[in-house]
Amino acid sequence: MWSIPVDRISLDVVEQVREKLASWQADAPAGGPERRGYLAQVTFDTLKDRAERLYFKRVKTSLTLPKEQVDRLREVAGRLLREAPAFQRLLVDLK
């Protein structure tokens, strides 16, 4: 039950960031360079493998985790970021 308010706050913050980013892009000075922002959302919900998704959703929120979990979290974080459409657009734009 406690995750519902946390999820709600997280969604609200993401929307606020999305709005600020859109405003920043729209407020670019006329004749100046185009402003491009990239909001890459990385969540365990996007994991395709159900077992993997459940594993990561069950990782306890803690200041200390077993080394194995830390290694797995670091690996999946990188993978999810590389798969995020906004991050892929950033990489294309940087070329």
Side-chain angles (χ1 to χ4, degrees), residues 17-86:
V17 170
R18 191 182 317 278
E19 290 169 9
K20 292 281 186 191
L21 189 56
S23 174
W24 175 77
Q25 289 173 294
D27 291 343
E34 177 186 5
R35 289 181 176 177
R36 289 188 212 164
Y38 305 86
L39 177 61
Q41 288 182 258
V42 176
T43 69
F44 297 136
D45 291 330
T46 60
L47 290 170
K48 293 169 183 71
D49 182 282
R50 182 177 186 273
E52 186 178 42
R53 189 172 51 249
L54 287 173
Y55 170 84
F56 285 109
K57 286 187 161 205
R58 291 180 178 154
V59 170
K60 302 259 187 241
T61 302
S62 174
L63 295 176
T64 60
L65 294 171
K67 182 182 180 333
E68 174 203 326
Q69 280 189 330
V70 172
D71 291 344
R72 287 186 72 180
L73 284 164
R74 292 176 78 183
E75 184 279 325
V76 79
R79 183 166 24 111
L80 288 171
L81 180 61
R82 287 186 299 277
E83 293 172 358

